[in-house]
Amino acid sequence: MSWTKVLAEDALSTGTREVVKVGDRSILLLNQDGTIYAVNSKCPHLKLSLKNGKITSDGEIVCPWHKSSFNLTTGAAKDWTPWPPVVGQVMAMVSSAKPLEVFPVKIEEGSIWVEV
């Protein structure tokens, strides 16, 4: 794993999100109250974009497609619902939750760096 400079620090103001590419990875950067998180930009289930996912007061991102939520710090899945409503609640009982991939972040020399 190595550190990659991905964005100028001032390009990601509080409350904003930006998707950046690092090699073949698409990484979602989020600035929540001054804390910057870097996560895989795709939901671990259907590989659909998380960019417009709701951020909860518990520090989780909710998939806009199937409503599973993931901890922004650990990637742990919560309220795992891998398929659409009704069917998803039943299938969640028989399928294991997949965590969201998270990446370490540092701010250095006015830039945001991600370890990939």
Side-chain angles (χ1 to χ4, degrees), residues 55-107:
I55 305 299
T56 70
S57 60
D58 294 336
E60 297 172 348
I61 187 166
V62 180
C63 177
W65 308 100
H66 62 85
K67 309 305 181 212
S68 294
S69 59
F70 304 91
N71 183 288
L72 289 170
T73 302
T74 67
K78 181 180 174 189
D79 301 325
W80 178 248
T81 309
W83 283 274
V86 181
V87 175
Q89 293 173 0
V90 173
M91 294 307 293
M93 292 182 235
V94 296
S95 70
S96 58
K98 297 176 185 174
L100 179 64
E101 186 176 20
V102 298
F103 303 94
V105 175
K106 70 178 179 180
I107 306 299

Side-chain angles (χ1 to χ4, degrees), residues 5-10 105-113:
K5 182 172 25 173
V6 293
L7 199 64
E9 181 181 10
D10 60 4
V105 175
K106 70 178 179 180
I107 306 299
E108 191 173 278
E109 301 172 357
S111 296
I112 300 168
W113 295 71

Side-chain angles (χ1 to χ4, degrees), residues 22-77:
V22 177
D24 62 349
R25 294 177 190 251
S26 182
I27 298 174
L28 175 61
L29 299 173
L30 306 107
N31 184 335
Q32 290 305 116
D33 300 321
T35 300
I36 298 175
Y37 300 95
V39 299
N40 189 317
S41 71
K42 306 290 183 187
C43 174
H45 174 246
L46 294 176
K47 308 298 185 217
L48 297 171
S49 176
L50 289 172
K51 186 173 183 182
N52 294 319
K54 177 185 172 191
I55 305 299
T56 70
S57 60
D58 294 336
E60 297 172 348
I61 187 166
V62 180
C63 177
W65 308 100
H66 62 85
K67 309 305 181 212
S68 294
S69 59
F70 304 91
N71 183 288
L72 289 170
T73 302
T74 67

